[in-house]
Amino acid sequence: MTSRRDFLKTSAGVGVGAAVGMGSPRSLAGAPAVLPHRVAPVAIASGNGMEAVATAFRAVSAGGDTLDAAVEGVNIVERDPNDRSVGYGGRPNLDGVVQLDSSVMHGPSRGAGAVACLEGIKTPSRVAVDVMRYTDHVLLVGKGAQRFAVSMGHRVEDLLTEGTRRQWIEWRARMSATDDYLTPEEAGLRVPPFEDEDDGMGMLDSHDGVRPQGTINCNVINQDGDLSGVTTTSGLAWKIPGRVGDSPIVGAGLYVDNDVGACGSTGRGEAVIKTCGSHSVVELMRSGMSPVDACLEALRRVVTFTAEERLRNEQGRPGFNVNYYAVNKNGEYGGAAIWSGARFAVCSGGESRREDSAYLFERGR
Ligand code: ASP
């Protein structure tokens, strides 16, 4: 249950952030808070989640559970071979193997489930749901996660597509000039350059300025103010096998507190893990900040924690991006990134749309 005090505290954040979306008509009108809690449902996601938010919004509007709705939404992207940052068709690790990470949180039941380094399953978010619903654990990894998935009826399949295999083969060939793999030029092949897609986040956010990455996070609130979230990814391309990013770490890549709000992240996972990113955003919302201000404050912590010189640009700023997407108990939402140009997907009825994320630094300045 939301206490009246908490409700009023979150209401206090309304109107503070310039780029915050005002999901609740009631807050727009500035009318006083009235219990019982009724909000305008909304689904928000990273920029690659346009279809996901539309699907999630439809499901939740039809009375569906918020987590089922969010997971149904991201399943579209997980199954899409053309999204190279999530599920089937995600970019592989250093060994050419796709390893997937995902977490889910269900606000009303306070449930959480996650999988990391999961191989061969197109929809890791569904396995995360199974961990939450059918085990006494929160996080399963690697072979154990796969065995569990198979026991629950998930099919093991090859997750590499022709495109991602070709990218990986070319990456391997370019790794060193002193190994025996031939680059396309040395082999006399004329292959088109990597066609890195616009992932809808404004520009493809690179972990280290070189390697592509991506993820989908989706958070949903229904008319009763119940919240859920999911984050799912193939993580950093060409990563060291066994590397786990922020996406499957409860409190890092995702956090939901049904009394306060939900938040998820995309971008450099290591930076989000070090700062307990999504949990920090939810705690900042609990203290009264609007979603967008909470996201910006958590990003300032990422900047402070980026002590490594190799990760900073000439101005001493992070040479990578992190994005947060947050929604509070009133259905107000916002997105923010370290760098300008990021966008996130929203559906609050009708067509889904992209909105600009707030940011700390302007690109190119
Ligand atoms: N956060 C993901 C990870 O670090 C990648 C991304 O969102 O780009 O695994």
Side-chain angles (χ1 to χ4, degrees):
M1 281 294 291
T2 314
S3 73
R4 184 172 167 76
R5 204 167 120 249
D6 283 346
F7 181 69
L8 290 172
K9 263 191 199 164
T10 48
S11 301
V14 174
V16 174
V20 68
M22 293 303 179
S24 157
R26 180 171 305 157
S27 352
L28 260 185
V34 179
L35 294 176
H37 202 95
R38 278 273 183 253
V39 299
V42 65
I44 64 165
S46 39
N48 52 350
M50 290 290 277
E51 271 189 79
V53 289
T55 299
F57 184 84
R58 253 195 322 273
V60 91
S61 302
D65 174 75
T66 47
L67 182 57
D68 290 341
V71 168
E72 194 185 331
V74 301
N75 284 167
I76 297 169
V77 184
E78 288 177 324
R79 291 191 176 112
D80 179 359
N82 297 316
D83 189 308
R84 299 197 169 161
S85 65
V86 180
Y88 175 52
R91 290 183 189 83
N93 66 16
L94 180 144
D95 289 341
V97 176
V98 181
Q99 288 190 324
L100 304 174
D101 294 342
S102 179
S103 62
V104 298
M105 287 190 83
H106 183 240
S109 66
R110 313 279 177 181
V115 288
C117 294
L118 175 62
E119 296 176 13
I121 312 285
K122 280 183 175 168
T123 52
S125 64
R126 297 190 95 86
V127 186
V129 170
D130 286 346
V131 172
M132 182 190 88
R133 287 197 179 135
Y134 302 112
T135 79
D136 192 32
H137 304 315
V138 168
L139 173 61
L140 295 180
V141 306
K143 281 281 166 241
Q146 193 193 54
R147 277 206 297 274
F148 168 74
V150 169
S151 78
M152 297 305 294
H154 297 267
R155 263 214 338 259
V156 174
E157 299 170 78
D158 184 2
L159 300 187
L160 275 182
T161 59
E162 226 184 285
T164 49
R165 188 187 301 280
R166 190 175 71 72
Q167 283 198 353
W168 173 72
I169 288 171
E170 190 174 332
W171 167 79
R172 184 180 62 177
R174 293 190 193 283
M175 273 240 287
S176 165
T178 57
D179 66 18
D180 295 323
Y181 292 108
L182 303 181
T183 63
E185 296 79 23
E186 288 166 335
L189 297 172
R190 280 199 299 135
V191 291
F194 292 166
E195 67 294 351
D196 270 337
E197 64 276 19
D198 174 5
D199 63 356
M201 296 184 194
M203 63 184 291
L204 203 88
D205 284 319
S206 173
H207 175 96
D208 49 15
V210 183
R211 277 178 296 176
Q213 61 184 111
T215 295
I216 182 165
N217 161 248
C218 180
N219 304 307
V220 175
I221 186 165
N222 69 12
Q223 61 163 15
D224 298 323
D226 283 331
L227 292 138
S228 290
V230 53
T231 303
T232 176
T233 190
S234 53
L236 178 64
W238 336 134
K239 62 193 173 186
I240 296 174
R243 179 264 188 187
V244 173
D246 55 328
S247 306
I249 308 294
V250 168
L254 180 71
Y255 199 70
V256 178
D257 183 329
N258 211 46
D259 290 343
V260 178
C263 179
S265 63
T266 62
R268 183 181 157 84
E270 282 73 7
V272 176
I273 293 173
K274 280 207 295 184
T275 52
C276 299
S278 295
H279 181 259
S280 298
V281 172
V282 171
E283 289 309 305
L284 290 163
M285 291 196 291
R286 189 196 306 277
S287 74
M289 279 193 186
S290 70
V292 76
D293 282 352
C295 292
L296 286 168
E297 179 55 27
L299 290 167
R300 284 185 200 103
R301 293 182 189 175
V302 169
V303 175
T304 306
F305 269 70
T306 307
E308 304 91 332
E309 200 142 323
R310 67 191 161 80
L311 295 175
R312 289 178 170 268
N313 68 14
E314 310 79 63
Q315 284 96 40
R317 294 168 175 171
F320 57 85
N321 212 356
V322 168
N323 305 263
Y324 288 123
Y325 317 93
V327 55
N328 72 14
K329 186 75 180 167
N330 296 329
E332 293 141 7
Y333 59 86
I338 296 177
W339 291 99
S340 64
R343 287 176 295 164
F344 62 101
V346 185
C347 188
S348 53
E351 301 272 290
S352 48
R353 59 188 182 275
R354 289 211 177 95
E355 294 192 13
D356 291 338
S357 297
Y359 55 87
L360 296 180
F361 306 121
E362 196 149 335
R363 284 186 199 269
R365 291 226 174 153

